[in-house]
Structures are given as C-alpha cells and as structure tokens.
Amino acid sequence: MRLLIRLSLLAISVFFFAPVLPEAPTGFDNKSNGLVDDATHTADQVKFDEIEEISEGLGPLYNAQSCRECHQNPTSGGSSQVTELRVGHRGPDRKFQNPEIPIARGTEVIKGRTLVNDRAICPNAAFPSTEIQERVPDSEEIRTFRVSLNVLGDGFVEAVRRSNFC
C-alpha cells in the first residue's frame, strides 16, 4: 500500500513540476519553428525543395523529383494535393499482407511495402530494354489513395495546449 501511495505522489509531482512546454508556433511563414536556427532551417529547406536528377541518384523508382512536389500545400513542407497509391491483399489468415509487385517483366519482385511508385527511370537511353515501371497485379485487391502528410508540425504535438482537447 505504501508503494502505491509513493508512486502516486511521484506521478503527481512529476506532472506539477515538469517544465512547461512552449506553445506550438502557428502560421506558414517559411521560417524556423525554433528547434533550429534560421540559417539551418533555410539550408534544410533548400535541400527539401531541390529537384533531383538521375545523375544525383534519382530512381530507379520514385514518385516525384523533390520532396516539395508531394509536400507543398500551403507551403513547402505542408501536406499534399497529390495522392499516392497504397495496395495489398488479405492473407490466408484474413490479415492484411504487403504486396508483391513484379517489375522488369517479372524478373524482380518488390516486397515489404505498400507504396506503388508512380515513376521509373527505365527504360532510358542507357537501358533501352530495361522496363521497371511498377504495375499493380490483380492479386492486390486492397487499393487506396493516401495524401502525403504535412511535415511542418513534426515535433510540436507535445506543445499543443491541453485545454484545446478538453
């Protein structure tokens, strides 16, 4: 019984004496949210907005040429107005199973993820007979479109006032 009382008192004291977190910043001003300095934020945003090329490692399968292409509403880092395709099927136990998507005319199989990429770099001039575009087989009967998540608020869920939920 004493242990229960001590644990209760400890929990109450942690709750009352814990540091107060700052309120989450609001607005879409393309400025740092305070977790990093403005110079770091600007450098990171340039990288996030950068258009990738094949020579820089884009591909072989991809959805867009920059992070910003899918995360740009209402500003760079926001949610998307573009959807991505997610697929799968029910296994023998009736539980969801990740798909198996053949590419390269069936010589390779993509496993372990639900995302079906929209684009592929092959065939191209260097590999004219290599075809790797993903196509959903009929066996993947579960199909849905998802919107890319907003990345602007990551790390600030803890800063939302409790009274907003009560």
Side-chain angles (χ1 to χ4, degrees):
M1 184 62 146
R2 287 184 187 174
L3 180 61
L4 182 60
I5 293 172
R6 287 181 184 166
L7 288 175
S8 298
L9 289 173
L10 178 63
I12 290 169
S13 64
V14 166
F15 178 78
F16 282 110
F17 297 110
V20 177
L21 296 171
E23 176 113 11
T26 62
F28 301 106
D29 56 7
N30 288 324
K31 295 186 190 281
S32 172
N33 57 19
L35 290 179
V36 297
D37 59 77
D38 287 333
T40 301
H41 173 76
T42 301
D44 290 344
Q45 186 168 1
V46 166
K47 196 69 172 161
F48 189 83
D49 294 347
E50 182 179 270
I51 295 174
E52 301 292 330
E53 302 289 336
I54 293 171
S55 62
E56 299 169 318
L58 177 68
L61 298 166
Y62 63 101
N63 279 338
Q65 292 174 299
S66 75
C67 299
R68 192 184 116 232
E69 283 186 56
C70 294
H71 301 273
Q72 65 176 339
N73 185 31
T75 188
S76 180
S79 59
S80 182
Q81 294 173 316
V82 178
T83 57
E84 59 186 28
L85 177 61
R86 300 282 179 161
V87 303
H89 61 273
R90 294 194 189 280
D93 58 0
R94 306 296 302 152
K95 292 183 181 177
F96 181 84
Q97 300 289 312
N98 284 329
E100 294 187 3
I101 300 177
I103 61 170
R105 295 179 180 82
T107 60
E108 297 286 333
V109 176
I110 297 175
K111 299 178 181 181
R113 62 187 181 96
T114 62
L115 176 66
V116 178
N117 293 107
D118 290 334
R119 303 174 187 172
I121 63 171
C122 297
N124 62 31
F127 300 98
S129 61
T130 303
E131 187 279 318
I132 63 168
Q133 182 65 48
E134 291 179 277
R135 291 177 177 79
V136 181
D138 291 339
S139 61
E140 307 308 331
E141 76 272 1
I142 299 173
R143 300 170 189 216
T144 189
F145 289 99
R146 299 279 190 239
V147 172
S148 298
L149 298 175
N150 180 330
V151 298
L152 296 174
D154 285 356
F156 279 102
V157 172
E158 306 86 13
V160 177
R161 287 186 182 191
R162 290 174 53 109
S163 60
N164 292 349
F165 298 108
C166 299

